[in-house]
Amino acid sequence: MTETERSDTTSVRKALRPVLIASQREVTEHAPFLRRLLVGLVDESIPTALICPPMSGDPMDIGIVPGPVEVFTYPAIDLPLMERMGLESLAVALEKFKPTILHCLCESRAALTRRLARRLSVPYVLAVNSLAGRLRRLSISATRCASIVVPAETIGSSIARAHFSLADRVRRIHMPTFAESDPACFSDPLRLSSIVVAHPIDRVSDFAALLKAAKALLAEGHEFVIAIMGSGKAERRLRSALAGHGLAHIVTIVPVLDPWRSVLAAGDIFVHLQPTKTFSGFLLEAMGLGVAVVACEGGVDDPIIHEKTALVYERDDEASLRQSLARLLDDPEYARQLAASAQTHVRQHYSVGSHVAAILDTYIEAQRSNTTHWD
């Protein structure tokens, strides 16, 4: 890089005023990642704003948003009709902030971000965290969308197939997390072993292999408790299934708590129950905390590497899941070695500093991109 180029980069960086646009998922399941990015931008002295949906508490009071970040709530009331009604008021408020770039943190906010970018005449960066089939209908401006950020190669490949004309704009930037210094799992030999599952409770069939495996392990003399973190339409049926398997006394069902990271930290084993079409923040955080992971491959499974970051079992296969769980319950030292290996992988590939630096590079690249042909 020449001296002129370095000077230009410094000038662009100093002028950055990003506005991050978050969905409900970003302020719940992905809240730790959102906070780390916001803190990183504040630490770099980048004036930053956040657009987020209404929350049960003040974003600053509940620890999601650091003090210097300006927060805009949109829509003001969480009703479908309010989205369009409040758009102009939001744009007017943003004009006072004088943004230079928008950063859409989730594809569910892509249409809103595109409208705001056009209204404010600024470029934007779009984050896509899903493999869902709706990607082909994703609202993307070919002129204003400077980059498409994905957290995993599987998602990047999916985007390239669905929007091949924009494939050169795809940037893989890993989610940011911290790896604790030591594994959290099996640290106290006197404590009853615990298994944590984070999964939507929409289908009892998703839990069938787990229930059968747990019943068999109890019959073999293993002692443990299970925490299922999630909610959904099938919760009542799941509770009935737990009673039918004789597991109600060892299984607790809780909603996604705030902060949910503390629930993961209390576990010895984390079970990634089913392949997911979206990047799992729960899976990555469990690895960073040093919880031994048992996972099935498929979907967005980039962090899952057999016997390096997790033990892999066959999807919906009770025997395979039972064998993996038994291996960890019977050999806590191996479980801690596996968890430590996953932590090393997290340190190497998912560091907060690397994430913030890559995001800033993306902003700078977007600012430099051709902005003369707005659609």
Side-chain angles (χ1 to χ4, degrees):
M1 183 182 292
T2 67
E3 187 63 35
T4 300
E5 289 172 331
R6 279 195 293 270
S7 177
D8 178 57
T9 298
T10 300
S11 298
V12 172
R13 183 187 176 100
K14 287 182 177 178
L16 285 174
R17 296 182 67 86
V19 174
L20 280 57
I21 303 174
S23 68
Q24 189 64 42
R25 190 168 188 238
E26 267 55 58
V27 297
T28 52
E29 181 178 340
H30 285 175
F33 309 113
L34 172 59
R35 175 168 175 76
R36 289 163 194 156
L37 174 56
L38 290 171
V39 169
L41 294 173
V42 169
D43 286 347
E44 293 289 337
S45 300
I46 306 294
T48 305
L50 172 69
I51 301 172
C52 62
M55 287 186 277
S56 56
D58 186 289
M60 295 183 187
D61 292 341
I62 61 180
I64 294 177
V65 179
V69 174
E70 192 165 345
V71 179
F72 299 90
T73 300
Y74 178 82
I77 302 174
D78 194 12
L79 294 172
L81 291 177
M82 293 300 296
E83 293 238 354
R84 286 191 176 276
M85 291 175 62
L87 185 60
E88 183 58 26
S89 297
L90 176 63
V92 170
L94 288 174
E95 284 179 333
K96 297 177 183 178
F97 178 76
K98 298 180 180 179
T100 61
I101 188 167
L102 306 182
H103 182 176
C104 179
L105 296 170
C106 178
E107 58 268 30
S108 67
R109 284 291 190 241
L112 168 64
T113 305
R114 181 173 183 170
R115 290 196 296 269
L116 285 174
R118 184 170 185 172
R119 171 67 173 74
L120 299 169
S121 295
V122 295
Y124 71 92
V125 171
L126 172 64
V128 176
N129 305 314
S130 172
L131 290 173
R134 64 178 179 273
L135 288 181
R136 292 189 181 277
R137 302 187 298 275
L138 198 57
S139 179
I140 304 177
S141 168
T143 52
R144 288 193 175 84
C145 182
S147 294
I148 302 172
V149 173
V150 299
E153 184 61 36
T154 47
I155 298 176
S157 299
S158 177
I159 282 285
R161 290 192 299 270
H163 298 274
F164 59 88
S165 64
L166 302 175
D168 62 333
R169 304 187 197 184
V170 176
R171 307 283 184 271
R172 184 177 65 175
I173 301 178
H174 287 140
M175 288 284 195
T177 192
F178 294 105
E180 300 295 333
S181 56
D182 296 303
C185 65
F186 298 101
S187 56
D188 183 357
L190 300 179
R191 191 185 70 178
L192 191 63
S193 299
S194 56
I195 299 170
V196 176
V197 179
H199 191 78
I201 310 177
D202 293 325
R203 294 182 299 272
V204 175
S205 59
D206 285 352
F207 298 85
L210 176 66
L211 302 191
K212 292 176 183 177
K215 183 177 181 179
L217 288 169
L218 286 177
E220 292 170 2
H222 292 91
E223 295 183 346
F224 54 88
V225 292
I226 299 176
I228 297 176
M229 186 165 57
S231 59
K233 60 186 179 182
E235 183 173 335
R236 181 176 295 180
R237 295 195 299 276
L238 177 58
R239 291 186 183 277
S240 296
L242 289 170
H245 283 79
L247 300 173
H249 66 294
I250 67 161
V251 178
T252 301
I253 299 175
V254 297
V256 178
L257 300 173
D258 182 24
W260 53 258
R261 199 170 187 261
S262 60
V263 179
L264 298 184
D268 296 303
I269 299 171
F270 176 80
V271 179
H272 182 64
L273 201 58
Q274 295 285 338
T276 58
K277 291 184 177 181
T278 57
F279 187 89
S280 173
F282 300 122
L283 173 64
L284 183 60
E285 287 294 284
M287 290 180 177
L289 286 164
V291 179
V293 173
V294 173
C296 63
E297 293 180 309
V300 184
D301 59 2
D302 298 51
I304 300 170
I305 305 171
H306 184 48
E307 295 194 329
K308 181 177 181 180
T309 64
L311 287 184
V312 174
Y313 74 96
E314 296 294 324
R315 178 185 182 183
D316 295 328
D317 187 321
E318 175 268 327
S320 178
L321 176 55
R322 174 170 48 82
Q323 290 167 8
S324 295
L325 292 173
R327 184 176 179 185
L328 298 178
L329 291 168
D330 290 337
D331 191 350
E333 187 55 37
Y334 171 74
R336 287 179 60 79
Q337 291 173 6
L338 179 66
S341 175
Q343 287 179 305
T344 299
H345 183 76
V346 165
R347 290 188 192 99
Q348 292 173 344
H349 299 283
Y350 296 90
S351 77
V352 175
S354 296
H355 176 84
V356 174
I359 290 295
L360 283 174
D361 287 345
T362 303
Y363 291 168
I364 292 169
E365 180 184 348
Q367 294 283 171
R368 285 173 164 168
S369 64
N370 182 7
T371 59
T372 61
H373 301 291
W374 300 123
D375 61 354

